[in-house]
Every structure is written in C-alpha cells, then in structure tokens.
C-alpha cells in the first residue's frame, strides 16, 4: 500500500459482518465464522495489518484445501479443579477458546488460577485478542501458541520452531489493560509476507535464505529460507519453551510435526495453544490493578512513555470515530467474496 492508494473506511460491526459472511460462504459454521471475523476485524481496527484482512486469502485457501474443518465442534474437557482441556477436532482455536471460556473463568475465580490446553487446533491470527478480554474482567492472562516450522533455533542450520508468540494481559486501575503480543522470532511471518508483497527489504539479522545465509530479501526467507529468533539464544530459548507449553503439554503438534503436503493451499498451522488465567484478588496482590498503575507511573518517570498496547488503543479510538481505513479496491474484493463471487481478498 502506498500513500497514493485510494482509501475508504468501514465500521467495525460492518467489517465483522462482512468477514463472517465470507467465512460462512466458504464452508464454516455460523459460530466459527463469527469468531474468526471478530478476531480479524479487531486486528484490522487496531492497526495489526499482518493479522487483519490480509489473512483472509490464507484462511480461505486452507478451508478450500480440506486441511482445516470449518465446522468442527470443540470438545471441552473438565480435567481437574484448575485444568481445562479442549479438543478442537481439527478446527480453529478461537471457537475452542470461546467454548471453554465459561468453565475456565469459573475455575480461575475458584482456585485462583486455571489452565486451558487446546489441541488439534489451527491458530492463524493475532494472539492478543485471546487474552485482552480476560484482563477486562480483572484477570491476568498469559497465552502461548506454536505454528509451522519457519524459525532456525540459535546456532542451528534449518527451520524447527514456529514464530511461537507469547501474549500477556493485565488489568489496570486507571486505564485499559496492559497487553503485549510478541513473536519469539525476529519478525512475525505475516510481516515478512507484507514486506515481500510491497517490495520492502527486511532489517539485518531477521532471516536466512535456503542456503542458510543471512538475507534481507523477504522472498528469499519465504521461498525455502527461514526466520531467526529475536535476541539470539534468548529468543530461541523462549521459542523452545512455547513449543513445550503449547504442544507437548496440550497434546498438540510441535511446529515440525504435521505434514500438510497432501493439502495444497494449506496455510493454517495445526498445533496447540496454552492459556493461563490468574485471579490476582486471591493473592497478596489484592490491589494488583493499583500496583500495575504504580509500575507504569515509574516507567513513565524512567522515560518509557509508550506502554504495550498503547498504539492499538489509539488506533482503536480513531477507528471508532472515523471508521477502519482500508484500500478501496481491497474492500470491493471483500464485498465480492461475501456475495459469493470469486477473486482474491487481498490486493
């Protein structure tokens, strides 16, 4: 997208309905369509372009390939006083989380902490929308999800880990929740795809080509190359942790463990997700939200005036006032898809 690209705007509810119509028209149930549409529209509204409508072609391609079950009904399992499991049954992770949420919250309120282990799931979206709603209910939330093998472990020579993001959300006394969502790779895979599409180079130290040589070319990373972990061995260790929590603990696949070669067009990784909820009111931090404010105030005093999530909240407020900006041509394509006419969803 360039500054000269004609822009238009659309409201959040209208975009959510539009995306839900697209998903349902391409084989998902109404409930799955609603969950995916809300997630995509939220990312687009908040300025996370690599996880917004940019993802629609990947979703539709995976659905068309038969790789993911868009009508799967998740099975929620009450495993222990503070442990919930969900078999997503080859479907998407967001509907699995939605199905388990009432039981998970109840356990967290009762025990002070609760764990949700999702397996046999496809997660292809931003991770922060999974945790932010819990912080709005005065809970602390932490989530981990692995993906397809596209990251070389530190000191290695071939892709083994996924981008393996970690998301965290905490309530504040005087503001919106403190939320971060970060990949343990040097850059999210979706941002590499956008750079390739728009002809941008990557910063140094972000990826290697198919020979394992450093490259700034996003196409070389995507076409047989791989990403690098952020921070060298530190990011690599965190990525390893995510593999163990999101796959080994949940019963999901490791990032290297599934084979989608029989499903041309598949793009959604079939892995697992772990989510941990904590009720801070039951511990020594009964005034947790106020303590959070105190820390943020000191961070401001130390010079960090922008906190995690601030940019998203600012973009959200702008979108609520003026609508969500989209290239006019891209919105036209989305509307054609919702009407059942063929064509890519992204320019």
């Amino acid at each position: 997208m360039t500054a000269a690209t004609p822009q238009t705007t659309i409201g959040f509810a209208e975009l959510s309905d539009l995306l839900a119509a697209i998903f349902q028209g391409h084989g998902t149930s109404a409930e799955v369509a609603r969950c995916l549409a809300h997630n995509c529209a939220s990312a687009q509204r908040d300025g996370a372009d690599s996880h917004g409508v940019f993802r629609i072609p990947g979703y539709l391609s995976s659905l068309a390939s038969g790789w993911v079950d868009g009508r799967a009904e998740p099975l929620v399992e009450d495993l222990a006083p503070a442990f919930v499991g969900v078999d997503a049954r080859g479907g998407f992770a967001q509907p699995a989380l939605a199905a388990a949420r009432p039981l998970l919250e109840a356990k967290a309120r009762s025990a002070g902490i609760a764990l949700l282990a999702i397996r046999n799931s496809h997660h292809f979206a931003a991770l922060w929308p999974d945790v932010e709603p819990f912080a709005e209910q005065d809970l602390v939330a932490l989530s981990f999800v692995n993906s397809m093998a596209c990251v070389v472990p530190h000191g290695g020579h071939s892709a083994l880990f996924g981008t393996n993001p970690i998301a965290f959300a905490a309530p504040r006394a005087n503001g919106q929740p403190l939320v971060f969502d970060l990949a343990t790779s040097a850059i999210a895979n979706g941002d590499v795809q956008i750079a390739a599409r728009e002809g941008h180079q990557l910063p140094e130290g972000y990826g290697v080509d198919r020979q394992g040589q450093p490259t700034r070319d996003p196409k070389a990373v995507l076409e047989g190359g791989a990403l690098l972990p952020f921070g060298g061995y530190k990011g690599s260790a965190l990525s390893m942790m995510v593999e163990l929590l999101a796959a080994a603990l949940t019963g999901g696949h490791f990032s290297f463990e599934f084979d989608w070669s029989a499903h041309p067009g598949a793009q959604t990784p079939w892995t697992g997700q772990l989510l941990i909820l904590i009720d801070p009111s039951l511990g020594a931090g009964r005034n947790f939200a106020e303590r959070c404010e105190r820390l943020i105030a000191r961070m401001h005093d130390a010079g960090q005036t922008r906190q995690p999530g601030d940019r998203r909240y600012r973009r959200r407020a702008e979108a609520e006032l003026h609508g969500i900006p989209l290239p006019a041509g891209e919105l036209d394509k989305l509307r054609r898809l919702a009407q059942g006419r063929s064509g890519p969803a992204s320019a």
Side-chain angles (χ1 to χ4, degrees), residues 102-114:
L103 179 60
L104 181 67
E105 284 196 25
K107 286 180 178 292
R109 303 286 185 193
S110 174
I113 188 168

Side-chain angles (χ1 to χ4, degrees), residues 35 38-46 48 51 94 97 101 123 125-134 136 167 169 179-181 273 275 312 316:
C35 286
H38 186 270
N39 187 289
C40 282
S42 296
Q44 192 68 43
R45 174 199 62 196
D46 290 7
H51 290 83
Q94 290 88 348
L97 171 56
R101 180 170 176 170
H123 201 293
L127 193 54
W128 61 262
D130 293 1
V131 296
E132 184 181 309
F134 293 109
E136 292 171 344
V179 182
F180 71 74
D181 173 5
Q273 180 178 2
L275 195 147
R312 284 197 299 271
R316 186 180 304 179

